[in-house]
């Protein structure tokens, strides 16, 4: 016997579902799964339908807690990356020149509160160049913004897009533009920030990172200015619940953002786990098991296990849902020979199309027809 609790943030809305032999409870944005008995496998897999609605692009936190009757307890924080490709009213400068000697950086707090104003500094290093420049900045959509000491700019609040036109840049090799931004969202998430500059000589520079907007502050974070992409946020074990909202793996999320903005690459969704190994060579040995698939359906088939029991099949039924298709497999075996024996038995009791499938770390990797 045991339970799993999943707490979804802000605009992530879990939907009702049914899982055989598991009690499903839903309270607002929290899902609780309880069971009296599961298979002997060391891998437990559940699929929960979740709606993203009209969420802005960003990383939304999910807190997962596990507990069972023998006293095993552990928790994990993951981020569901919601990605779309809407065209902003003001087009961002594309094709950044990686070889240019110039740079652009944004400085801002790493964590800000709902509907609170925070400083955003645009720092540009442009050498002796004093010609014209077009500066583009993307902040979380809906944010309010004030730009100090600049007259020629356009800001679209709905898109969070700022475009500054400079006829001539100041003489110093570096200069900054100071803005005041007020978040206008009440959905807790890590939102992307982007900035780019195009100079008169057609050189382009580009910047991107993330900012956390939430309703609670993580101790020691408020006011900490963004300084580099390799920063590390240390949170004590007593702050586990709060650290679930800060995403200590901001660097990994930045890598995902880089991939999503690279030419020819489109990311439609991703789950970023803070326990994901960074080096494949250091990953533990994969856990492999075999099972026998008996049916696949576009809708759930709730009485499948009951029908199996009527035929004398006692092995555990597993449900695998990939977001579109429900696939039902029977048994968990360490060898393919054991699975083949069950396949023959299933064929004899009314499942002639059954076939063996292999799982690696809970993921289906191969089929044996």
């Amino acid at each position: 016997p045991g339970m799993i609790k999943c707490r979804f943030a802000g605009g992530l809305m879990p939907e009702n579902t049914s899982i055989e032999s598991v009690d499903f409870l839903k309270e607002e944005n929290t899902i609780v799964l309880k069971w009296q008995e599961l298979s002997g496998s060391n891998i437990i897999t559940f699929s929960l339908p979740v709606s993203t609605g009209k969420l802005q692009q960003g990383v939304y936190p999910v807190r997962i807690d596990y507990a069972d009757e023998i006293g095993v307890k552990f928790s994990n924080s993951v981020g569901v990356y919601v990605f779309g490709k809407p065209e902003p009213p003001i087009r961002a400068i594309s094709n950044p020149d990686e070889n240019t000697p110039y740079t652009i950086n944004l400085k801002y707090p790493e964590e800000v509160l709902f509907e609170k104003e925070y400083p955003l500094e645009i720092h540009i290093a442009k050498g002796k160049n004093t010609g014209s420049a077009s500066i583009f900045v993307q902040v979380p959509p809906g944010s309010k913004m004030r730009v100090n000491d600049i007259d020629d700019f356009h800001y679209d609040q709905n898109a969070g897009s700022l475009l500054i036109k400079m006829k001539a840049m100041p003489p110093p090799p570096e200069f900054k533009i100071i803005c005041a931004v007020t978040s206008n969202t009440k959905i807790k998430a890590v939102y992307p920030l982007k900035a780019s500059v195009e100079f008169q000589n057609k050189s382009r520079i580009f910047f991107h990172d993330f900012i956390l907007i939430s309703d609670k502050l993580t101790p020691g974070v408020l006011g900490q200015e963004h300084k580099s992409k390799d920063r590390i946020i240390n949170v004590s074990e007593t702050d586990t619940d709060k650290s679930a909202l800060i995403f200590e793996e901001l660097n990994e999320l930045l890598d995902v953002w880089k991939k999503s903005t690279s030419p020819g690459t489109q990311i439609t969704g991703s789950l970023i786990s803070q326990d994901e190994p960074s080096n494949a060579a250091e990953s533990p040995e994969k856990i492999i098991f075999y099972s026998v698939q008996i049916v696949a359906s576009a809708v759930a088939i709730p009485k499948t296990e009951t029908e199996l029991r009527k035929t004398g099949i006692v092995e555990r039924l597993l449900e695998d849902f990939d977001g579109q298709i429900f696939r039902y497999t029977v048994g968990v075996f360490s060898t393919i020979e054991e699975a083949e024996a069950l396949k023959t038995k299933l064929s004899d009791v009314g499942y002639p199309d059954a076939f063996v499938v292999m799982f690696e770390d809970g993921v289906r990797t191969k089929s044996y027809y």
Side-chain angles (χ1 to χ4, degrees):
M3 64 164 286
I4 288 178
K5 178 186 291 185
C6 298
R7 288 178 284 177
F8 297 86
L12 292 177
M13 300 300 297
E15 301 176 358
N16 289 319
T17 187
S18 62
I19 303 174
E20 192 167 359
S21 302
V22 176
D23 293 329
F24 179 94
L25 303 175
K26 176 177 175 290
E27 296 181 1
E28 296 182 350
N29 287 5
T30 299
I31 295 295
V32 179
L33 305 176
K34 294 183 178 181
W35 59 85
Q36 291 301 313
E37 181 184 4
L38 290 177
S39 69
S41 170
N42 55 358
I43 298 174
I44 303 173
T45 302
F46 296 110
S47 295
L48 301 178
V50 181
S51 172
T52 59
K54 296 182 179 180
L55 290 182
Q56 299 291 345
Q57 180 169 305
V59 182
Y60 296 82
V62 181
R63 170 77 173 183
I64 304 172
D65 299 291
Y66 171 92
D68 61 28
E69 189 181 60
I70 63 175
V72 176
K73 295 181 179 181
F74 57 85
S75 301
N76 192 15
S77 305
V78 298
V80 176
Y81 187 80
V82 178
F83 176 69
K85 299 194 71 174
E87 290 294 330
I90 305 174
R91 185 176 61 86
I93 297 172
S94 59
N95 301 322
D97 185 353
E98 299 292 346
N99 298 319
T100 178
Y102 312 129
T103 61
I104 180 172
N105 285 287
L106 299 181
K107 291 190 176 182
Y108 50 90
E110 290 178 335
E111 178 179 1
V112 298
L113 291 174
F114 294 158
E115 300 181 330
K116 294 295 184 180
E117 185 177 276
Y118 59 93
L120 176 70
E121 297 183 5
I122 308 168
H123 287 248
I124 298 174
K126 47 77 177 179
K128 297 180 179 180
N129 192 342
T130 57
S132 63
S134 297
I135 304 168
F136 174 87
V137 177
Q138 176 76 58
V139 298
S143 300
K144 299 177 182 178
M145 179 179 287
R146 290 187 290 108
V147 182
N148 298 338
D149 304 322
I150 297 291
D151 295 325
D152 190 3
F153 73 89
H154 175 78
Y155 178 65
D156 186 305
Q157 181 174 336
N158 290 331
S161 300
L162 171 67
L163 181 62
I164 299 173
K165 293 284 190 178
M166 303 188 73
K167 294 180 180 180
M169 292 180 291
E174 297 184 12
F175 70 96
K176 64 181 177 181
I177 300 172
I178 300 176
C179 307
V181 184
T182 302
S183 64
N184 196 32
T185 180
K186 289 189 177 181
I187 299 180
K188 193 177 306 176
V190 178
Y191 294 92
L193 293 178
K194 294 194 290 183
S196 52
V197 177
E198 183 172 23
F199 297 105
Q200 187 175 5
N201 62 8
K202 301 304 180 182
S203 293
R204 299 183 179 97
I205 51 180
F206 191 82
F207 170 92
H208 53 237
D209 210 322
F210 291 91
I211 186 169
L212 172 67
I213 300 179
S214 66
D215 58 345
K216 295 180 181 179
L217 297 177
T218 303
V221 173
L222 182 63
Q224 287 185 2
E225 190 178 77
H226 165 86
K227 293 183 178 179
S228 68
K229 298 173 184 175
D230 57 357
R231 67 198 184 282
I232 298 176
I233 303 170
N234 294 315
V235 182
S236 66
E237 293 183 3
T238 58
D239 293 325
T240 303
D241 286 338
K242 296 177 181 178
S243 66
L245 307 179
I246 191 63
F247 291 109
E248 296 181 15
E249 72 282 8
L250 282 176
N251 292 332
E252 284 75 9
L253 303 186
L254 179 58
D255 290 338
V256 174
W257 176 248
K258 285 181 179 179
K259 292 178 182 178
S260 71
T261 55
S262 298
T265 301
Q266 180 176 354
I267 298 178
T268 56
S270 178
L271 185 66
I272 306 105
S273 168
Q274 79 180 56
D275 293 329
E276 184 176 351
S278 59
N279 189 333
E282 299 174 358
S283 301
E285 184 177 352
K286 290 184 177 181
I287 299 173
I288 297 176
F289 68 88
Y290 300 88
S291 189
V292 183
Q293 179 169 318
I294 56 173
V295 65
S297 171
V299 297
I301 308 176
K303 296 184 179 181
T304 303
E305 188 169 31
T306 301
E307 296 300 320
L308 275 175
R309 298 295 177 264
K310 291 179 180 179
T311 65
I313 301 297
V314 297
E315 283 79 7
R316 187 68 177 178
L317 178 72
L318 305 179
E319 180 186 276
D320 179 17
F321 180 59
D322 63 3
Q324 294 181 327
I325 302 297
F326 291 87
R327 293 178 174 85
Y328 294 89
T329 64
V330 183
V332 177
F333 305 102
S334 58
T335 66
I336 191 172
E337 288 77 14
E338 293 174 292
E340 289 286 357
L342 178 61
K343 170 188 171 182
T344 301
K345 186 176 179 181
L346 285 164
S347 180
D348 294 338
V349 296
Y351 297 94
D353 297 324
F355 60 92
V356 176
V357 292
M358 182 174 72
F359 290 82
E360 296 184 22
D361 288 343
V363 178
R364 174 192 300 253
T365 58
K366 192 172 183 179
S367 301
Y368 300 86
Y369 297 98

